[in-house]
Amino acid sequence: MASASLIYAVNFINPPKCILHSKRDYFSFNMSYTCTKSKTSQRQMRNKQSRMATIAAGNQEMDFTDPCWKTKFQEDFELRFNLPHLKDVLPIKPRPTTFSLKNRNARLVNGANVLEDRKNGYVNEDDRALLKVIRYSSPTSAGAECIDPDCSWVEQWVHRAGPREEIFFEPGEVKAGIVTCGGLCPGLNDVIRQIVFTLELYGVKKIVGIQYGYRGLFDRGLAEIELFREVVQNINLAGGSLLGVSRGGADISEIVDSIQARGIDMIFILGGNGTHAGANAIHNECRRRKMKVSVICVPKTIDNDILLMDKTFGFDTAVEEAQRAINSAYIEARSAYHGIGLVKLMGRSSGFIAMHASLSSGQIDICLIPEVPFQIEGPYGVLRHLEHLIETKGSAVLCVAEGAGQDFVEKTNSTDASGNARLGDIGVYLQQQIKKHFRRIGVPADVKYIDPTYMIRACRANASDAVLCTVLGQNAVHGAFAGFSGITVGICNSHYVYLPIPEVIASPRVVDPDSRMWHRCLTSTGQPDFN
């Protein structure tokens, strides 16, 4: 494949015209060709759909020798990120929204009471937010994310979240359901609360909570919980989930049968990657049956491992609460003769909590995450560096993510209810190896091991997460009334957006070992390369 420098070497006097088949114009910097709009034929549409399916499967290879590759990339991107809508399969018409931010308080003007209106704050259907905002000049730049070999700038726009002027449901006839899946996470109650509040502002009278995740949709012994403002008013003051959680689920057809039998028109599903995959299957089955049901996800993962999003709710609280464990380990290590504090934090496949907790505490000497391989033994291993720390500092504090170093621990060959492989306990393994090593070399060491996992998961959301949960909950309801389905709501580059579920579950989001944030963590800990 040719580099972008060859692309930019085309004749500037008579640049080739690239036909843009999508519905929107794109304006990219440094484009050495022009793009003109044309009407899309049925054949062209079929070609686009085929190309979209290929890209979604991850098998697309872009020909960078084509001077119009940017246009084609953007066209494909728009198709992939086009939001599924109920009107795609149903002959439904919009109606004016019942959601309003009008200020109805009267004020005195020339001796008379006058109602003062302010902007309603509706989002235009064509509003977009940039998914990527950094223009890297080279693939060797720290954390560079490049499409072509020369890291050309290509605009990637996603749908802005928020209330629309037109809605596709009659609020008084809507029955909405809320379900929380997976494990506990700080902020679940905050999201439930805001979904209920916003639904009521639209005029929805029937709101129910489904108990214990997807289980509540097929276990006949679990009744719906009626939800309204008085029920959820103060649930944000406590951790956990008012509705309960569980992992796994039943047959998708059985779940959709339950949704249909209950007369649910909107279902809000809070969960991580596995939950999103289930929600996408529910959405597809509803479309197949031509049911007017809006399936909206709110990403819930304390590990912060969902693609494309700045962060997910619960993450900030987890990092903040991890400080307590790290501080305890630090005090124990500093107070003991040759003390070593070892803290295991959450992070099955992504080390975001461990990395950010290490950065924020400033007390960590070694941070181990799943994305970065390391050796325990040998001249460049973790144990040798611990020796050095004991010799020079007299103590050490080590932080490890639960998914790190799984090659060292015994495989269980079993899975949990969500289908995730059960991890070996790297924390206990490291504790044992550290003790054995220092006994072997004849140096006393006092190892203190702390695992705060379930304490952190059960916490109430902190202020930062509470704000995030509030906005996510509100935007989930706006998305449902706008007629979207099979989408999730998130925050990208500080803007709230809607994304198609398949795009965020393609793979877990992980720490990039070449990113600036990981480099900052290494600078903070001062640890060497353990591989």
Side-chain angles (χ1 to χ4, degrees):
M1 291 186 295
S3 66
S5 59
L6 294 178
I7 298 173
Y8 295 142
V10 296
N11 191 327
F12 280 77
I13 300 175
N14 297 303
K17 291 186 177 181
C18 306
I19 304 301
L20 183 63
H21 300 306
S22 56
K23 293 182 290 184
R24 298 179 61 243
D25 279 317
Y26 291 92
F27 303 93
S28 296
F29 299 120
N30 291 341
M31 294 176 69
S32 61
Y33 55 87
T34 60
C35 299
T36 59
K37 298 171 74 175
S38 70
K39 293 184 178 180
T40 305
S41 67
Q42 291 183 352
R43 180 179 178 182
Q44 290 169 333
M45 179 60 71
R46 285 196 299 269
N47 290 338
K48 287 197 300 181
Q49 291 171 343
S50 174
R51 192 160 63 245
M52 177 180 66
T54 304
I55 291 180
N59 296 323
Q60 176 74 5
E61 290 187 4
M62 187 65 64
D63 180 10
F64 298 116
T65 62
D66 183 349
C68 296
W69 72 266
K70 283 188 181 181
T71 307
K72 294 176 181 178
F73 178 89
Q74 290 170 322
E75 186 178 64
D76 290 328
F77 183 89
E78 184 185 11
L79 283 167
R80 284 169 48 203
F81 283 81
N82 185 45
L83 300 181
H85 198 281
L86 293 174
K87 65 184 179 183
D88 296 339
V89 294
L90 296 169
I92 56 176
K93 294 182 179 180
R95 54 149 292 173
T97 185
T98 53
F99 179 83
S100 176
L101 291 177
K102 286 185 177 180
N103 183 347
R104 300 190 181 278
N105 293 327
R107 68 186 182 94
L108 198 64
V109 177
N110 297 327
N113 285 327
V114 176
L115 286 176
E116 181 183 16
D117 289 350
R118 66 180 182 218
K119 288 184 178 179
N120 287 311
Y122 299 123
V123 171
N124 190 287
E125 205 57 57
D126 289 328
D127 285 357
R128 299 291 187 270
L130 270 176
L131 186 63
K132 307 292 183 183
V133 295
I134 299 179
R135 180 183 177 185
Y136 297 99
S137 63
S138 167
T140 60
S141 296
E145 299 176 4
C146 302
I147 297 170
D148 72 314
D150 272 9
C151 235
S152 302
W153 169 259
V154 182
E155 294 180 2
Q156 301 172 60
W157 297 96
V158 291
H159 292 251
R160 187 181 174 205
R164 269 59 173 173
E165 283 191 282
E166 294 183 328
I167 58 177
F168 288 82
F169 289 91
E170 292 290 340
E173 300 174 2
V174 165
K175 181 178 180 181
I178 307 172
V179 57
T180 56
C181 303
L184 287 180
C185 177
L188 283 168
N189 281 334
D190 300 69
V191 178
I192 294 169
R193 180 174 181 263
Q194 283 300 319
I195 289 175
V196 172
F197 284 1
T198 312
L199 284 167
E200 288 188 344
L201 284 175
Y202 272 94
V204 177
K205 305 297 183 185
K206 298 177 185 177
I207 310 171
V208 297
I210 307 300
Q211 294 193 73
Y212 302 107
Y214 288 134
R215 176 178 293 277
L217 289 169
F218 63 85
D219 189 331
R220 295 184 180 180
L222 297 173
E224 297 174 348
I225 299 176
E226 188 177 356
L227 301 177
F228 45 90
R229 179 173 288 267
E230 288 73 15
V231 172
V232 302
Q233 181 67 53
N234 297 316
I235 62 173
N236 61 311
L237 303 180
S241 169
L242 171 71
L243 306 178
V245 294
S246 71
R247 297 188 183 277
D251 178 78
I252 293 300
S253 182
E254 186 178 353
I255 290 177
V256 176
D257 286 344
S258 175
I259 291 172
Q260 196 166 20
R262 294 166 190 258
I264 291 176
D265 305 290
M266 300 176 179
I267 185 159
F268 301 95
I269 303 173
L270 285 59
N273 282 294
T275 299
H276 274 62
N280 193 55
I282 292 169
H283 156 73
N284 288 332
E285 179 64 14
C286 288
R287 284 171 73 93
R288 189 186 70 79
R289 300 187 189 187
K290 290 185 167 48
M291 293 167 55
K292 189 182 178 183
V293 176
S294 183
V295 181
I296 308 292
C297 279
V298 180
K300 177 234 68 175
T301 166
I302 204 168
D303 292 345
N304 200 34
D305 62 349
I306 292 187
L307 286 177
L308 306 178
M309 300 181 186
D310 293 354
K311 63 179 177 180
T312 51
F313 75 82
F315 174 68
D316 277 354
T317 305
V319 172
E320 183 175 308
E321 289 298 320
Q323 304 306 301
R324 303 179 191 274
I326 291 173
N327 190 53
S328 296
Y330 174 76
I331 292 172
E332 287 283 356
R334 292 286 293 176
S335 302
Y337 179 67
H338 289 178
I340 298 175
L342 172 60
V343 179
K344 185 182 77 173
L345 298 175
M346 287 162 290
R348 168 177 289 274
S349 58
S350 305
F352 288 104
I353 293 179
M355 177 176 69
H356 281 258
S358 298
L359 268 168
S360 58
S361 73
Q363 297 167 334
I364 297 296
D365 298 296
I366 299 174
C367 177
L368 304 175
I369 60 175
E371 297 88 339
V372 180
F374 60 90
Q375 295 299 319
I376 296 177
E377 304 280 355
Y380 304 108
V382 172
L383 296 175
R384 180 64 191 90
H385 188 58
L386 281 174
E387 282 185 49
H388 170 72
L389 292 170
I390 293 297
E391 292 170 3
T392 57
K393 293 178 57 180
S395 64
V397 183
L398 188 153
C399 173
V400 60
E402 62 179 325
Q406 289 300 301
D407 292 339
F408 299 111
V409 297
E410 186 177 351
K411 302 292 188 297
T412 62
N413 295 321
S414 63
T415 59
D416 61 20
S418 297
N420 300 314
R422 295 189 187 276
L423 300 177
D425 197 327
I426 186 63
V428 171
Y429 179 82
L430 282 174
Q431 178 191 29
Q432 295 170 348
Q433 293 303 307
I434 293 169
K435 288 181 176 179
K436 288 179 184 178
H437 176 77
F438 281 92
R439 278 200 303 267
R440 186 167 61 246
I441 64 175
V443 176
D446 191 351
V447 183
K448 306 294 186 182
Y449 174 49
I450 300 175
D451 180 357
T453 300
Y454 292 101
M455 295 175 64
I456 291 175
R457 285 168 25 131
C459 287
R460 171 189 173 185
N462 66 8
S464 174
D465 271 328
V467 172
L468 178 59
C469 291
T470 295
V471 183
L472 291 177
Q474 292 175 1
N475 280 325
V477 176
H478 296 321
F481 269 103
F484 299 123
S485 181
I487 67 167
T488 191
V489 58
I491 183 169
C492 295
N493 297 312
S494 77
H495 296 286
Y496 291 90
V497 299
Y498 295 134
L499 300 166
I501 292 176
E503 293 301 324
V504 302
I505 61 173
S507 64
R509 178 178 179 234
V510 296
V511 174
D512 180 1
D514 293 323
S515 68
R516 289 292 298 125
M517 193 59 74
W518 178 244
H519 292 175
R520 292 168 185 139
C521 186
L522 296 179
T523 302
S524 175
T525 63
Q527 69 192 63
D529 182 0
F530 294 122
N531 196 22

